[in-house]
Amino acid sequence: DTASFAQIADRYQYEANQPLEAVTVGSWKARIPYTIEKVIYSSTHGERVPGHFVTPHEAGPGPHPAILLVHGANSFWGRNEDWAMDWMDILARAGYCVLCIDNAGHGERMTEPLNIMAAGSYHHREWMTQSVVDQRRGLDYLLTRPEVDRSRIGLFGGSLGGWIGCMVAGLDDRFAAVALTVIGAWVAGDSDDPRTRWVNMLNFAPRISAPTLMVNATGDGREPGEELFAAMPDPKQQIWIESNHY
């Protein structure tokens, strides 16, 4: 219910006027029709969040539509995994700006192995909270870039990135569209379980305000995907692909 969700959502709030203190470490625009910048900005708990920001060259001066791209559970790869790099390339060539960061505990932010499914562990809740807030700060960052059309920012997440993305989109109404891939209602435990309700997608999906596309793999099983899709408001669409998770 609304009152209970307000308690959950409160955990993911942050000071909106907290300075991003964003810096561009370097850029690369040779041999490709877009510029890749390595950027770093501030999030909560003193975290400095590294990411790639991509701007297309051949789509005119802009402003351009933009995508907040959320990678999956890929250990030390983070934003450098082939899934993220391939989609950055595809989207930039299609005329989008893209921001893809290292989620908490991944990529440059990985200091020890991370058990993302530590059932019953509040550690699970802590790093997920950080990842969700970091992505919302990433949206704040996109809104500061003059190359970005502020009215056309979408979210695209895959696997764990879809999980995080579902929560971000349920908490934030600033997206024009949402796309989630290979994702389902995976969290064990009831949606009001005090250990897991903070990260249970079934609590966030009904509050997504943007049109949503889900693309799922039959190899993951249809039931979790159908359950999550059913919880989402219209407009929405789900596509099933005969495939395993990857």
Side-chain angles (χ1 to χ4, degrees):
D1 60 74
T2 301
S4 296
F5 183 72
Q7 295 178 356
I8 294 172
D10 186 63
R11 181 170 185 82
Y12 297 92
Q13 300 309 310
Y14 60 94
E15 293 294 334
N17 59 357
Q18 176 187 347
L20 282 163
E21 300 175 316
V23 296
T24 298
V25 176
S27 64
W28 178 260
K29 59 183 178 181
R31 301 195 304 270
I32 49 178
Y34 49 90
T35 298
I36 301 177
E37 299 177 30
K38 179 176 179 179
V39 300
I40 305 174
Y41 59 82
S42 292
S43 186
T44 55
H45 301 107
E47 289 287 316
R48 294 287 285 167
V49 180
H52 289 143
F53 176 73
V54 178
T55 310
H57 292 167
E58 299 174 354
H64 308 287
I67 298 292
L68 185 64
L69 185 66
V70 191
H71 71 73
N74 57 30
S75 189
F76 61 87
W77 286 109
R79 69 190 183 279
N80 292 315
E81 189 197 12
D82 56 354
W83 183 91
M85 296 300 293
D86 286 351
W87 275 112
M88 276 190 274
D89 181 82
I90 291 167
L91 292 166
R93 290 176 187 271
Y96 290 89
C97 292
V98 183
L99 176 66
C100 187
I101 66 169
D102 282 339
N103 284 316
H106 291 78
E108 291 182 30
R109 304 173 72 190
M110 187 179 196
T111 57
E112 59 184 35
L114 178 66
N115 180 6
I116 67 167
M117 297 300 286
S121 169
Y122 284 105
H123 171 69
H124 181 190
R125 187 182 73 178
E126 298 302 321
W127 72 258
M128 182 66 92
T129 301
Q130 188 68 56
S131 292
V132 168
V133 174
D134 294 344
Q135 293 291 343
R136 297 187 70 187
R137 293 290 281 168
L139 177 54
D140 293 342
Y141 176 78
L142 283 174
L143 290 169
T144 70
R145 297 290 306 218
E147 305 93 334
V148 169
D149 182 341
R150 296 167 64 96
S151 68
R152 293 191 294 163
I153 299 177
L155 182 149
F156 175 18
S159 191
L160 174 65
W163 185 348
I164 294 170
C166 179
M167 296 169 63
V168 172
L171 290 161
D172 210 306
D173 63 2
R174 294 178 289 175
F175 295 104
V178 174
L180 307 172
T181 64
V182 288
I183 180 180
W186 296 328
V187 178
D190 295 331
S191 59
D192 61 352
D193 186 316
R195 296 170 300 173
T196 59
R197 65 180 184 144
W198 311 94
V199 296
N200 193 315
M201 284 177 280
L202 292 174
N203 288 331
F204 295 83
R207 293 162 174 87
I208 296 177
S209 59
T212 302
L213 171 68
M214 288 178 61
V215 182
N216 272 330
T218 56
D220 285 335
R222 283 184 176 266
E223 185 175 348
E226 295 290 0
E227 184 179 13
L228 183 63
F229 183 70
M232 293 179 175
D234 292 322
K236 61 184 176 180
Q237 180 182 4
Q238 181 163 222
I239 297 172
W240 285 96
I241 305 296
E242 296 292 333
S243 171
N244 62 23
H245 190 67
Y246 286 99

